[in-house]
Amino acid sequence: MSIPKIVVVGGGAGGLPLVTKLGRKLGRVGNADVTLVDSSSIHVWKPRFHEVATGAIDADLDAVDYRAHAQLNHYRFEPGTLTEVDTANQQLTLAPLHDEHGKEVLPQRQLDYDYLVLATGSQSNDFGTPGVRDNCLFMDSRAQAERFRERFLNACLHANYEGKPVSVAIVGGGATGVELAAELHHAVSMLNFYGHDKLDRKHLQVDIIEAAPRILPVLSERVSATATKRLEALGVKVRTGVMVAEATEEAFVPKDGDPIKADLLVWAAGVKCPEWLGQIEGLTTNRINQVEVEPTLQAKGHKNIFIIGDAAFLIPEGAERPIPPRAQSAQQMAQHTARSLQQLLMNRDPRPFEYKDHGSLVSLSNYSSVGMLMGNLKGGNFFVEGWLARMMYISLYRMHQAALYGWPRTVMLLIAGRFNKLVRPRLKLH
């Protein structure tokens, strides 16, 4: 008798912890064949892409190699991009894999599944704005973050030689845009330390452009106001209530007002899920391609397909808004789905998912952090900023590492990181 095949598509904040837990619980003892599918060969935690983009962290040191991690945690890794899901025959089709020269490495392949988990994540939504795809940089993948870093370092090198400012304009006043803006100031300070003697924070011009009346619109007004104050103290120009109508090679063009020119244009506004999710037979999707799910996170009409993370659309009972597309949501869904799959293998019905919002923290680089925590403390919610918020923000990443490696290995990684700082520059300069 063959063992059940569980295939997880997407190795991000939800998919990777899920296959880790399934591999340890089911794969190790032969109760299931667990496979992870991802188009990349490594994992970098998405909330740290803004640090990859500025060189604050070296993605090669912080990355998780899927093959090595799979071997340690008793699951299989299959590189590839999903192109089709045949729900009737329970089969996936993966596109051919090519190298950088266009030579085929792996042909088109099919994978059978008994249970499928789609953890595909999301990407920036350009809302069809003319010129955005051709002229803007994005922060949706490690490759895009590293492309920004290369462009940014070259712009700083040129600006330092010419003795002129370097400018960056960011559309989107959410967490990504805010964190990137602060991290850019830290990066320029480090570049000045490493020989860019004509370039300092006074020669950095950063604009955040947000269509809503305030930045961080999904968080409280107090968090938004504090973040705005901290950014403006750094020298960031926060432009709210500005709708961008077009992106040219050198500027964002608002619907009203003059073009906002910059050396680098970044689009970090809105989210949407991959188009192909809406093409899977029987799945119901919304306008941003999220899949509507049952309270158990099973796709409506498909008891053997689970949707987790940004791709899942669920309004919990009694709630007014859907579960937000955040890393903490994906991690909680991963833990729940791991339990649900184990229950299904024992012929038990899975339980409904209960989302617990622990609040949000926004990093302003080494300068500060700010956020709102939620819990069972008196008063329910409380505001945090400064050193305490910064430590809490860092701890979120350590908890993510612990889910992948366990605490002993996480502590060793922390110690290794401290030693690396003794011999490596504090900014990735190449």
Side-chain angles (χ1 to χ4, degrees), residues 108-131:
Q108 178 175 286
R109 291 145 289 152
Q110 278 74 40
L111 289 180
D112 296 326
Y113 69 86
D114 295 301
Y115 297 97
L116 173 64
V117 182
L118 297 176
T120 57
S122 62
Q123 60 194 34
S124 297
N125 190 348
D126 64 8
F127 305 103
T129 307

Side-chain angles (χ1 to χ4, degrees), residues 82-96:
L82 183 65
T83 59
E84 183 182 353
V85 179
D86 184 346
T87 56
N89 295 310
Q90 298 186 177
Q91 190 176 73
L92 308 179
T93 299
L94 303 183

